[in-house]
Amino acid sequence: MTQTLPAAPHWHTLSATNAATQHTVDPAQGLSDDEAAVRLERHGPNRPTAAPGRSALSRFAAQLIQPLVLVLIAAGVVTGALGEWVDTAVIFGVVIVNAIIGFIQEGKAEEALAALARAVATEVTVLRGGQRRRMDAIHLVPGDIVWLVAGDKVPADLRILSGKQLRTIEAALTGEAAPIAKHHDVLPEDTLLADRRNMAYAGTTVVAGQGHGLIVATGDATETGRISRLIAAAPDMATPLTKKMGEFAGLLLWVILGLAALTFGIGVLRGESWVDMLMAAVALAVGAIPEGLPAAMTITLAIGVGRMAKRRAIIRHLPAVEALGSTTVICSDKTGTLTENAMTVTELWAAGEVITVEGHGYTPTGALSVGEPGPALRETLLAGALCNDASLVQESRLWRHAGDPTEVALLVVARKGGLDENTLRHLYPRRDELPFDSARQTMATLHEVDGRHVVYAKGAIEKILPACARMLAADGREVDVDGAGRELIAAAAAGMAARGLRVLALAQGRSDTLSDATLESGLVFLGLAAMIDPPRKQAIAAVRTCQHAGIRVKMITGDHADTARAIAHQIGITDSMATRALTGRELAQLDDQALIAVARDVDVFARVEPEQKLRLVRALQAQGEVVAMTGDGVNDAPALKQADIGIAMGMGGTDVAKEAAAMVLTDDNFATIEAAVEEGRGIYDNLVKFITWTLPTNFGEGLVILAAIVAGVTLPITALQILWINMTTAVLLGLPLAFEPAERGIMRRAPRPPKAPILDAVLIERIVLVGVLMLAGSFGLFLLALERGLPMAEARTIAVNVFVAIETVYLFNCRSLHLPITAVAPFSNPWVWWGAGLTAVLQLALTYWTPLSSAFGTAPIDGRAWLEIGGVALVAMLVIEIEKHLRR
């Protein structure tokens, strides 16, 4: 049975033991799954209640105050004042339909962003039923025991049970910018929140050390949940593209108003009725407005973001969609992104002998080349298994691991040598520990072994070897390490590193206590463990694709320079193992100007501190590069924010990195970055295709109205018919372009300059060309029909169908803006065929179905007229293809 828990402010006054007792939990075993399920039902998911978004009414009203929509509303008011009620009804109908489409799609977009945000799970290490496991933090409940290490975001409010040099930053909660050292001692009841050193609070960040704690509050009950709902704030949807489109809409608004006024003025000066000219001006304004453009933009972006999510790239900030298309440099971490993230010990060195290890990944199958381990090798494996915080458990024939990949690899190789870490931990219990520290570069643990205390240490060879005066011989005797012996060990480590292996040195010592001083001298050298995180096969192909696309790939890693060069060469980032790798120490000695030059020429950076990534990003941006930067640690956040596209790791990244990033990779795979760049280019292409397709119709309709007024003839198309053309074709013909797959060769062209306009000179000229073709075809056949004595309704019906026919064939021209129509697979996008078919059906209904023809002023036409319409459309298609051919 669960029981009522004390109020959150009192937890710091209880001892760790009493706090656990209040939660009816054994800190050594954690909650059972059944008890955790009961508490989850009682307390709810571990997440704050989302702040309410905009109301439905305000979202709908926002659709009606866009500049071009206001022009349509004004046109509806004018027609209503003139008594043209059918026109008024249709215009306002279009406005309402457009608003509904935008309203629904915006709601879907907000829900999609919320769903994608929920998909980026925060994982924590929790103790359940005596087993450590990784799970989504949303399932945590009061009473859970969780482990914290540097880089973690605290998942809930915790009472610290133990800690080693554990420090957190609580600026988000208390305003205190300096790291706060944590302990597990009891504090007075009146201790201020900022001084509660035995508590860790949800949303704060662990920056050093490690420890574990008891969850005392989750979700809204946490201190962060009580104070703020900012985390649930909606993301900023404004992007460079939408800003450009807003500027374009503003310019178009004034052009439309100017042309409408010009039309009205010319007509009145020619002696035409001011009422007729006012209707003509309304027709021109209605025709020149691309009513479907806002909805098409929203839907195209939503489809693109969904496509990216399916390819394991979650877009957190929409500007990343546009920036992806113009990326020129990708700065990638090595481990887990370019590599498999499955550290595997492949070589061991003990007592002067090299032992090879079979197997791959975290499955402990494979043999050692020496068979049964000798005394020195056994002690090396023993040190790796005991000086270790990782766990390895078999569940349903699958091996689950938790902890640092390097430590998991040591557990795996120990099992291959016949040593089970669970048995070892029971036989040789741990009495103390010194967690790994970036300054010390060593981890050490103190164990009770056969009644005496033994220290086991592992770390960088440059730290371990100088502290060793003796080493273990093959027969298990301790012998002095002389100069030659040190050179032998160093040479073995260097040879391993030169082959791209990560090398750890292992040692033991005798001491009743454990401190930094223990690790400075008097240790016995045991051996070396060399491991590798092998390159991903997909990453090799993805790097090659990026290079073909004009994107340079640079590796930034904390590993040794030799390891970095080896992996970079294997993946294809560099051509030779001898390629220069700039180290963090060398980078620190360069001023900003010198770094700008070096950053351009060097592709491998090793031993780089996380904060140095920020300098590299700025150095590349100073040269005009558009930079994508990957990161997973807390200290990567400044570089992720500075980069044009910050990319966080969804599986291995910290929450801080994910929040700073514009994109999150759910599989931590470099190939996903390449796929996202390809999708980003495709999304932008489809937007440009839609704009290039839709604007000629608006331009042509405006030209037809203006030409008719200047020529003093009756309008070939009415405002009502223009609305029919614009709305039906925008939905049925234009929107299918959003589903157009990326063109072949999209990753073989240079990145798009970020300041390039949406439409270049070539496309603007094509828009004018197609608009003129629409003017000539519709106006020409309209006049020809009148000369043949056809009624006005039939002549206008012909003109309307000319516009729609040319739009339909032009749609197929626009499936590729530069390649011939035959270069596009005909059925790669079936939506264009469905759209063309439905458009044809609607045009037949408009022409021959009495209810529609009566409402829109059309009439049935004969076969000759259809042949002429088809001929004009065919000529337009051929002219556009010839223009594309000449451009090529």
Side-chain angles (χ1 to χ4, degrees):
M1 291 289 292
T2 57
Q3 62 186 62
T4 303
L5 302 175
H10 299 298
W11 290 111
H12 63 281
T13 68
L14 300 179
S15 68
T17 301
N18 287 340
T21 301
Q22 291 286 341
H23 278 280
T24 60
V25 61
D26 179 357
Q29 292 293 317
L31 298 174
S32 67
D33 288 334
D34 291 341
E35 176 64 15
V38 171
R39 297 191 186 193
L40 183 63
E41 179 69 23
R42 181 181 180 187
H43 296 282
N46 178 33
R47 63 183 174 209
T49 303
R54 289 188 302 165
S55 68
L57 182 61
S58 63
R59 281 198 291 121
F60 186 79
Q63 311 300 320
L64 302 176
I65 59 174
Q66 300 176 39
L68 298 181
V69 175
L70 292 176
V71 174
L72 279 179
I73 293 174
V77 171
V78 170
T79 56
L82 296 176
E84 301 289 342
W85 300 115
V86 174
D87 290 41
T88 301
V90 172
I91 289 174
F92 279 114
V94 167
V95 170
I96 297 299
V97 169
N98 222 10
I100 290 174
I101 291 174
F103 171 79
I104 293 174
Q105 190 54 47
E106 186 174 317
K108 287 182 178 179
E110 290 186 359
E111 174 56 31
L113 285 171
L116 292 178
R118 291 193 296 269
V120 185
T122 300
E123 285 200 337
V124 296
T125 300
V126 63
L127 185 68
R128 290 272 178 94
Q131 293 285 344
R132 293 190 193 185
R133 65 180 70 167
R134 297 285 290 174
M135 68 164 52
D136 190 340
I138 199 173
H139 300 305
L140 294 176
V141 295
D144 265 327
I145 308 296
V146 299
W147 268 258
L148 300 173
V149 296
D152 284 350
K153 193 169 191 180
V154 180
D157 285 1
L158 306 177
R159 172 62 169 88
I160 302 298
L161 300 180
S162 72
K164 275 289 187 178
Q165 300 181 9
L166 183 65
R167 295 194 298 274
T168 65
I169 288 182
E170 301 179 345
L173 185 64
T174 66
E176 175 59 58
I180 306 298
K182 296 295 180 178
H183 58 69
H184 63 275
D185 299 331
V186 174
L187 293 172
E189 185 171 350
D190 60 354
T191 305
L192 296 175
L193 180 71
D195 296 326
R196 294 175 188 172
R197 302 298 181 92
N198 59 6
M199 300 289 294
Y201 294 104
T204 61
T205 303
V206 180
V207 293
Q210 61 184 29
H212 75 293
L214 168 75
I215 292 184
V216 297
T218 60
D220 287 337
T222 64
E223 292 295 337
T224 303
R226 292 172 182 176
I227 295 171
S228 175
R229 297 293 180 268
L230 293 179
I231 295 174
D236 182 12
M237 301 287 284
T239 74
L241 178 64
T242 53
K243 289 178 181 177
K244 288 180 181 178
M245 292 307 302
E247 294 169 359
F248 170 75
L251 175 63
L252 191 60
L253 171 63
W254 290 110
V255 170
I256 290 170
L257 293 177
L259 288 177
L262 180 64
T263 300
F264 179 80
I266 290 175
V268 171
L269 289 176
R270 291 179 58 89
E272 302 288 346
S273 163
W274 72 268
V275 174
D276 291 342
M277 290 306 96
L278 197 54
M279 287 301 296
V282 168
L284 186 145
V286 169
I289 294 174
E291 292 91 348
L293 184 55
M297 269 190 56
T298 305
I299 292 172
T300 301
L301 284 173
I303 291 169
V305 170
R307 281 180 177 176
M308 287 186 177
K310 289 178 181 178
R311 298 186 75 168
R312 302 182 182 276
I314 295 177
I315 302 298
R316 296 189 68 253
H317 304 304
L318 287 182
V321 177
E322 300 151 47
L324 279 167
S326 55
T327 300
T328 59
V329 175
I330 299 175
C331 296
S332 176
D333 190 17
K334 175 180 71 67
T335 304
T337 307
L338 293 169
T339 59
E340 292 281 1
N341 198 21
M343 293 296 291
T344 305
V345 175
T346 58
E347 291 182 21
L348 294 163
W349 186 97
E353 183 179 6
V354 175
I355 302 96
T356 58
V357 184
E358 296 177 351
H360 178 268
Y362 297 136
T363 302
T365 56
L368 307 182
S369 61
V370 295
E372 189 71 20
L377 178 57
R378 185 183 185 281
E379 283 298 314
T380 301
L381 296 175
L382 185 67
L386 288 177
C387 186
N388 198 310
D389 288 323
S391 65
L392 189 65
V393 179
Q394 188 174 25
E395 296 178 357
S396 303
R397 298 184 180 181
L398 295 177
W399 287 92
R400 308 290 184 186
H401 65 275
D404 184 277
T406 299
E407 294 192 326
V408 177
L410 291 173
L411 295 184
V412 172
V413 75
R415 289 199 179 215
K416 291 176 182 178
L419 301 178
D420 180 278
E421 74 278 2
N422 294 315
T423 302
L424 294 175
R425 289 167 179 171
H426 177 73
L427 291 174
Y428 311 129
R430 182 184 297 187
R431 299 308 182 196
D432 201 356
E433 65 184 63
L434 278 179
F436 179 85
D437 182 88
S438 58
R440 189 190 309 116
Q441 295 187 37
T442 303
M443 174 185 176
T445 53
L446 180 67
H447 296 264
E448 187 174 329
V449 180
D450 300 329
R452 56 195 175 93
H453 289 110
V454 178
V455 174
Y456 288 107
K458 72 173 188 293
I461 187 170
E462 55 265 32
K463 296 292 184 180
I464 294 287
L465 187 55
C468 295
R470 302 169 71 80
M471 68 178 287
L472 213 60
D475 58 3
R477 292 180 301 110
E478 293 183 10
V479 298
D480 291 337
V481 182
D482 56 15
R486 293 181 188 278
E487 290 179 4
L488 179 65
I489 295 171
M496 292 171 171
R499 295 191 298 278
L501 300 174
R502 181 179 181 183
V503 184
L504 278 181
L506 297 112
Q508 69 177 26
R510 304 284 187 270
S511 177
D512 291 331
T513 59
L514 184 59
S515 65
D516 286 338
T518 310
L519 304 179
E520 293 177 358
S521 63
L523 297 181
V524 178
F525 191 84
L526 298 176
L528 302 171
M531 59 195 73
I532 188 170
D533 183 10
R536 293 180 185 263
K537 292 182 180 179
Q538 310 101 307
I540 296 173
V543 167
R544 188 182 309 116
T545 301
C546 286
Q547 291 168 340
H548 289 160
I551 302 170
R552 291 187 66 182
V553 180
K554 297 179 182 290
M555 177 196 290
I556 302 175
T557 179
D559 262 344
H560 290 280
D562 289 340
T563 304
R565 275 195 295 264
I567 296 295
H569 177 58
Q570 293 176 36
I571 289 175
I573 293 176
T574 61
D575 297 328
S576 169
M577 282 278 292
T579 301
R580 181 187 180 189
L582 188 72
T583 66
R585 181 174 297 176
E586 293 170 322
L587 193 153
Q589 296 172 355
L590 300 175
D591 61 25
D592 291 342
Q593 288 303 314
L595 181 58
I596 289 174
V598 171
R600 179 184 62 246
D601 300 330
V602 176
D603 290 330
V604 181
F605 299 87
R607 285 300 202 205
V608 174
E609 297 291 332
E611 56 269 21
Q612 291 176 324
K613 288 185 177 183
L614 179 60
R615 291 191 64 205
L616 285 171
V617 171
R618 288 173 173 167
L620 290 166
Q621 289 174 330
Q623 302 171 60
E625 304 283 7
V626 179
V627 182
M629 169 69 78
T630 70
D632 56 9
V634 175
N635 291 333
D636 290 332
L640 293 176
K641 286 185 177 180
Q642 177 68 35
D644 298 277
I645 309 160
I647 304 172
M649 304 297 108
M651 296 173 64
T654 60
D655 288 349
V656 177
K658 293 173 189 175
E659 289 172 5
M663 184 168 79
V664 178
L665 305 184
T666 62
D667 60 357
D668 294 8
N669 192 342
F670 181 85
T672 303
I673 302 176
E674 178 266 322
V677 170
E678 181 179 349
E679 287 291 349
R681 290 186 175 191
I683 292 167
Y684 193 86
D685 278 3
N686 288 348
L687 283 172
V688 174
K689 287 174 184 178
F690 179 85
I691 295 169
T692 305
W693 171 83
T694 194
L695 289 186
T697 301
N698 305 108
F699 181 60
E701 289 165 345
L703 286 179
V704 165
I705 301 298
L706 189 58
I709 298 302
V710 172
V713 301
T714 306
L715 297 182
I717 48 178
T718 65
L720 210 54
Q721 292 165 349
I722 288 173
L723 280 174
W724 168 272
I725 294 170
N726 290 356
M727 291 308 298
T728 58
T729 59
V731 173
L732 297 178
L733 297 180
L735 289 185
L737 286 174
F739 297 92
E740 197 67 30
E743 293 185 33
R744 288 181 300 171
I746 195 171
M747 291 298 286
R748 287 186 174 272
R749 67 190 192 206
R752 174 181 55 85
K755 293 185 179 180
I758 298 175
L759 300 174
D760 59 21
V762 171
L763 295 182
I764 292 174
E765 291 172 6
R766 184 175 301 162
I767 289 169
V768 173
L769 171 64
V770 179
V772 170
L773 289 173
M774 288 181 170
L775 165 66
S778 60
F779 211 168
L781 290 187
F782 172 77
L783 295 177
L784 186 62
L786 292 180
E787 287 184 6
R788 293 208 310 267
L790 295 180
M792 179 63 67
E794 289 187 33
R796 282 178 167 166
T797 303
I798 292 172
V800 169
N801 280 295
V802 167
F803 267 99
V804 176
I806 293 178
E807 279 191 274
T808 302
V809 298
Y810 184 47
L811 171 68
F812 291 90
N813 293 121
C814 285
R815 293 190 66 192
S816 176
L817 296 178
H818 305 289
L819 297 176
I821 199 170
T822 55
V824 180
F827 301 104
S828 60
N829 182 5
W831 292 104
V832 296
W833 293 98
W834 281 105
L838 289 173
T839 298
V841 170
L842 283 181
Q843 287 307 115
L844 291 174
L846 180 71
T847 304
Y848 297 108
W849 191 39
T850 303
L852 270 183
S853 60
S854 298
F856 286 90
T858 57
I861 56 177
D862 57 20
R864 175 182 174 180
W866 284 115
L867 287 175
E868 292 170 344
I869 292 168
V872 167
L874 182 60
V875 168
M877 173 185 278
L878 293 175
V879 169
I880 297 161
E881 286 301 305
I882 291 171
E883 184 263 348
K884 286 201 287 185
H885 175 74
L886 294 176
R887 296 285 188 186
R888 286 195 302 276

